[in-house]
Amino acid sequence: MTDLLTRAQEISSDAERVTQAHLRKVRLPRAGVLGLITLDNGEDHTKPNTFGPRSLLALNDAIDAALADDEVVAIGVTGKPFILAAGADLTSVAGGGPDAVRVVAELGHHVFRKLGHGGKPSFGFVNGLALGGGLEVALHCTYRTVMDSAPALGLPEVMLGLVPGWGGAFLVPNLLGADKAVTVILENPLNNGKTLNGAAAYELGLADAVFSGADYLEQSLLWADAVLSGELVVDRPSVDRGEAWDAAVERARALVQAKTGGASPAALTAVELIDAARDGDRDAGFAREDDALEAMSKTPELIASLYAFDLVQKRAKRPAGAPDRSLARPVTKVGIVGAGLMASQLALLFVRRLEVPVVLTDLDQERVDKGVGYVHAEIDKLLAKGRINADKANRHKALVTGAVDKSDVFADADFVIEAVFEEMSVKKSVFADVEKVVSPECILATNTSSLSITEMAADLEHPERVVGFHFFNPVAVMPLLEIVKGERTDDATLATAFATGKALKKTTILVNDSPSFIVNRLLGRFMGEVGKIVDEGTPVPVVDGAFAGVAPMPPFVLLSLVGPAIALHNNETLHGAFPDRFYVSPALERVVAARKASYYGPDGALDPEVEALLEKPENPVVLEPAEVRTRVLTGLADEARRMLDEGVVVAAEDLDLAMITGAGFSFWNGGLTMLLEREGLGSFH
C-alpha cells in the first residue's frame, strides 16, 4: 500500500481544500477511551468537508494513530458543525484523468475500510450533511448514529455520471437489502437528486440510533459506551439474497430505462454493482467499484457532469452579469400583491428566509384571510415536524399579515412583488396602484413567467425600479430564480434583486427581457415541437417514450404537471412573438377548453376523453421515437443559438444552469447545450 499512498501524494493538488482529521481521546464512563476523529476543512458550513487525495491521507494518518494507540478501544468519526462530509473533491482530481480517478478510488477504499476491518470497533456519528463519500465513511463503521435534523444524506453519484465508489454500492445492499439500495443509489439520485434527512435515514436502516438537539454528540458517545460495554446489543434484520434481490434488480432496470432510456452509463453500471453485491464478498465488491469508477471517468457523461457540477457549485454563487453587490438596498419589509397559492408560497419563503414583515394584499378580506391562513398553517406543519421551534413559529406567524387596502401597509415596504393573473393589463394596473403608495426607492418585482418587463414598466413614473423575479413551482423546492432586466431597470434595482434572491437561497440568473425568459422559452419550443408531431399523427405514448435520458419526464407528463392552460398561455405568448417557430396546438386548445388537467388518467393510460380531442389528420405522419427525439432536439438547438445571439443570457452556461435548476435536466447531460453538442446539433461553447 506504500505505492498507493505515494501515487496519491503525486496526484494531489494545491487547489484541494484539505479536510483535516483531528484525533482526540474521549474517556467513556465504562468502556474506556474512544479515539474521536473530527473532520474539518477550517471553513464554515457553507463550504462542506470534502475528500481529495490530501484529505484522505490526513484521515488515513488519524485512523492509523488511533489503531496504534493501545489505550484507544474504539474509533469514532464525526464532522464540523452541521457537516460530516459532502463526498469526493471532484475538482481536485478531474484534471488527472482516469489514472487519477483510479488512485483516488483505491485510496478511499484503503482508508475507509480500516474503520470496518482495522481491528477496533468504530462508530460513525453523522452530525449533519453526509453525501457520497461523506455517507460512505460512516457506512464503513461498525455502528452509526445520526442527528434527526441532518439535512441531506444520500449517494447522489449516479446523478453526476458516477457510481458510489468508496464502498456504497456494496455496503448499502448488504446492509439494507437490494430494494432499499435501489432507492438510495438509483431512485433518489434520478429523482432530481433527492436526499434523506436524518430521521428518514434512520427509518430506512442507514443508522442504528437517532438523536436530536445540541447534545447530539454527547448522546452518541453515551450510546457508544453502552454498546461497547455490552449493555446494548445492536440487532439488524437479515438480508434476503434470493427472490427479493432478483425483484429489486428488475425494479432497478425498469427504473433506469424509464428515467434515462439507457443513456446513462453510470445508472446501468450501478444496477450491475447492486446485482453483484449479493455475493457478500467485500474485496470483490470494492474491486468492482474501482473498475467502475475508472470506466466512468472515460465517458462523455462524466465530463458533462463535472461541467454541470461546476455550474451549480460556482457559477450559481457568482451570477454572471450581476451588478456590484454594494449597490443593493436593504429589504426590511416585503409586500405581496395577491393572496392566492403562488402568493402564499412566496410569503412563506420570504418570511422564513428574510425574517422581515411580509404583507399580503388582495381584492377582499376573505381572500386575504385565506392567504395568511395558508402561510400560518404551513408554519404550524414545520413546527409539528420539528423543523422549527415554537419561538420561531410564533415569530414568523406574527410577521405575516394581510390587508385589502395597500396604502398604509405598503408605505414603508422596500420590496413589493406581484403574483396576480398572467395578463399584461392586470399587472400594469396593479403596478400603477402600488406606485402611488410606495416610496420612490421601493423595488417593484413581478413573478410573471412570460410577459415583457419593459412593457409592464412603461407607463410608470419610475420604470427603473421594475424587475422580473420569476420563481418556479413549487417555490420551496425549485432552486431557480430568473432575474429579468427590463430596458430601463437600473443597477441598484438589479443588485437588490440578486441580493434578495441570494438571501432566499435561490440560484439566480440574469436574463435580458425577452418573451418567456429562459426555461419557459426553451420548454415552449420543446412542447410546441412535440405538440406538432402529435397533431401530425404520431401517438402520444410514442412521443412520450422518445425523451428518456433527455428530459426529466415525458413531455405530456410534464404538461400535466405544469397544467395544460399554463402551457397553452406560454406557447400563445411565444407564438405572438415568434409565429414562425412556436406552434400552438389546436388539440391543446381543445384540451384546455374541456378543462382537462392531464392527458393521462389515474391508471396511467392516455385519457380516452383527451384522445378524442386530438387531431385526426387524413394522412398521418407517424415517426419513430428516434426521429421524434432528433426533430425536437434540432428545434431546441435552433432556439438556444438564437437566444445566445439575441443576448438573452450572458453565455451558454446560463442556459444549462437554468435548465438544470429550473427544469430538472440532468447533470450527466450537462444540462442542454452539451447534450446538443454531443448529438452533433451545434456548437455553443
Side-chain angles (χ1 to χ4, degrees):
M1 282 300 124
T2 304
D3 183 46
L4 176 62
L5 300 181
T6 301
R7 284 189 291 153
Q9 289 280 11
E10 291 169 352
I11 67 164
S12 68
S13 162
D14 290 339
E16 179 184 346
R17 182 185 287 122
V18 179
T19 296
Q20 299 295 345
H22 303 291
L23 174 65
R24 65 185 175 97
K25 294 181 181 181
V26 177
R27 186 166 296 280
L28 302 175
R30 290 163 294 182
V33 173
L34 179 138
L36 181 63
I37 297 170
T38 302
L39 304 172
D40 192 345
N41 63 2
E43 305 281 355
D44 66 19
H45 69 278
T46 63
K47 296 182 175 65
N49 300 325
T50 53
F51 293 118
R54 294 183 184 180
S55 302
L56 288 170
L57 291 169
L59 178 57
N60 184 64
D61 290 344
I63 295 172
D64 282 351
L67 291 172
D69 190 328
D70 291 338
E71 188 183 17
V72 171
V73 299
I75 299 172
V77 180
T78 192
K80 67 182 184 181
F82 313 114
I83 305 285
L84 182 58
D89 180 355
L90 296 174
T91 55
S92 72
V93 297
D99 290 342
V101 171
R102 179 81 191 200
V103 169
V104 171
E106 292 182 2
L107 181 63
H109 280 130
H110 169 70
V111 175
F112 288 1
R113 72 183 303 163
K114 292 179 180 180
L115 293 167
H117 290 80
K120 294 181 179 180
S122 56
F123 296 82
F125 300 135
V126 184
N127 65 310
L129 179 144
L131 295 172
L135 180 58
E136 284 169 311
V137 72
L139 288 168
H140 278 267
C141 293
T142 322
Y143 308 99
R144 282 160 298 284
T145 73
V146 66
M147 191 172 187
D148 63 351
S149 60
L153 282 77
L155 297 173
E157 286 87 349
V158 167
M159 182 180 80
L160 301 172
L162 292 165
V163 294
W166 284 338
F170 175 84
L171 295 171
V172 173
N174 280 286
L175 174 68
L176 305 180
D179 192 66
K180 290 180 178 178
V182 170
T183 299
V184 174
I185 295 171
L186 283 164
E187 188 173 8
N188 286 352
L190 292 175
N191 186 15
N192 292 324
K194 180 182 176 182
T195 57
L196 303 166
N197 63 27
Y202 167 71
E203 290 295 328
L204 196 68
L206 286 168
D208 303 302
V210 60
F211 301 111
S212 61
D215 62 346
Y216 159 77
L217 183 57
E218 287 76 7
Q219 292 182 73
S220 293
L221 289 168
L222 290 173
W223 183 85
D225 185 49
V227 171
L228 291 168
S229 64
E231 177 190 322
L232 191 138
V233 176
V234 174
D235 185 31
R236 298 181 185 134
S238 60
V239 170
D240 184 337
R241 300 178 187 277
E243 290 183 6
W245 203 291
D246 292 334
V249 171
E250 287 309 306
R251 180 170 85 87
R253 291 199 172 107
L255 177 74
V256 168
Q257 183 60 35
K259 285 286 191 178
T260 75
S264 165
L268 294 168
T269 303
V271 176
E272 300 311 314
L273 289 173
I274 293 170
D275 190 17
R278 85 166 81 201
D279 64 12
D281 186 332
R282 184 178 297 252
D283 290 342
F286 290 178
R288 288 190 294 264
E289 290 178 356
D290 291 337
D291 291 342
L293 274 183
E294 184 179 3
M296 292 304 100
S297 70
K298 300 173 183 177
T299 65
E301 285 80 8
L302 181 63
I303 295 168
S305 291
L306 291 171
Y307 162 79
F309 187 77
D310 190 66
L311 291 181
V312 171
Q313 293 297 311
K314 294 181 180 177
R315 193 176 186 90
K317 293 177 173 61
R318 293 184 291 277
D324 190 321
R325 65 186 67 180
S326 67
L327 297 173
R329 294 194 282 262
V331 173
T332 61
K333 183 178 181 180
V334 173
I336 299 177
V337 184
L341 181 58
M342 174 56 82
S344 300
Q345 289 184 71
L346 294 179
L348 181 65
L349 179 69
F350 275 100
V351 77
R352 290 196 66 207
R353 298 295 188 221
L354 303 189
E355 297 192 311
V356 300
V358 176
V359 185
L360 290 153
T361 65
D362 214 317
L363 298 174
D364 57 61
Q365 194 63 44
E366 183 180 351
R367 296 185 203 200
V368 169
D369 290 344
K370 185 177 179 182
V372 173
Y374 170 89
V375 180
H376 286 189
E378 290 299 307
I379 292 171
D380 285 336
K381 288 178 187 176
L382 293 169
L383 174 63
K385 292 176 183 175
R387 299 270 301 278
I388 56 176
N389 61 33
D391 286 345
K392 181 165 282 192
N394 289 333
R395 190 165 71 251
H396 285 180
K397 284 199 284 188
L399 287 169
V400 179
T401 57
V404 175
D405 185 355
K406 304 179 187 71
S407 57
D408 291 333
V409 295
F410 281 3
D412 56 346
D414 305 298
F415 191 101
V416 172
I417 183 168
E418 67 76 23
V420 298
F421 187 67
E422 190 77 346
E423 174 74 42
M424 180 61 78
S425 60
V426 175
K427 292 182 184 289
K428 291 186 80 162
S429 174
V430 162
F431 274 164
D433 288 344
V434 170
E435 189 171 49
K436 295 172 186 173
V437 299
V438 297
S439 70
E441 292 78 28
C442 177
I443 304 297
L444 300 185
T446 169
N447 186 45
T448 181
S449 59
S450 60
L451 301 177
S452 169
I453 309 305
T454 302
E455 184 182 346
M456 208 177 294
D459 300 332
L460 296 176
E461 189 177 341
H462 293 287
E464 71 280 356
R465 42 108 162 257
V466 178
V467 64
F469 211 66
H470 179 222
F471 292 89
F472 290 76
N473 216 354
V475 170
V477 176
M478 297 300 288
L480 181 61
L481 175 60
E482 292 175 332
I483 306 284
V484 189
K485 181 183 188 297
E487 284 181 10
R488 297 180 67 180
T489 307
D490 65 20
D491 282 353
T493 298
L494 272 184
T496 306
F498 275 104
T500 304
K502 182 178 180 180
L504 295 172
K505 299 187 178 180
K506 294 298 182 184
T507 296
T508 51
I509 298 177
L510 177 64
V511 189
N512 279 314
D513 191 16
S514 60
S516 296
F517 318 133
I518 305 174
V519 173
N520 284 344
R521 178 164 167 181
L522 288 168
L523 288 182
R525 183 70 185 264
F526 180 70
M527 295 307 301
E529 296 289 343
V530 299
K532 191 170 187 181
I533 289 169
V534 168
D535 286 355
E536 289 171 350
T538 302
V540 169
V542 173
V543 172
D544 265 357
F547 295 98
V550 174
M553 63 186 71
F556 286 95
V557 174
L558 174 65
L559 186 74
S560 302
L561 183 69
V562 170
I566 293 173
L568 176 62
H569 173 79
N570 184 51
N571 269 43
E572 287 173 340
T573 299
L574 287 162
H575 178 77
F578 312 112
D580 56 324
R581 301 199 307 278
F582 286 86
Y583 175 75
V584 177
S585 164
L588 179 58
E589 291 176 325
R590 290 192 290 272
V591 168
V592 171
R595 298 184 177 276
K596 302 298 292 185
S598 173
Y599 272 55
Y600 291 96
D603 59 354
L606 188 64
D607 184 335
E609 292 182 16
V610 170
E611 192 168 12
L613 297 171
L614 299 180
E615 294 285 284
K616 306 291 189 295
E618 286 186 22
N619 301 300
V621 178
V622 181
L623 302 181
E624 294 296 318
E627 294 173 309
V628 172
R629 174 186 165 112
T630 299
R631 179 167 151 185
V632 173
L633 288 181
T634 300
L636 280 173
D638 173 63
E639 203 59 37
R641 170 45 56 200
R642 291 172 185 270
M643 291 169 73
L644 292 172
D645 292 345
E646 292 168 18
V648 175
V649 291
V650 173
E653 286 82 353
D654 291 324
L655 296 181
D656 292 326
L657 181 59
M659 295 306 282
I660 290 166
T661 58
F665 274 52
S666 65
F667 273 62
W668 45 266
N669 278 332
L672 176 64
T673 65
M674 288 197 77
L675 168 69
L676 296 173
E677 288 181 346
R678 201 161 73 232
E679 297 276 334
L681 295 173
S683 178
F684 300 91
H685 296 272

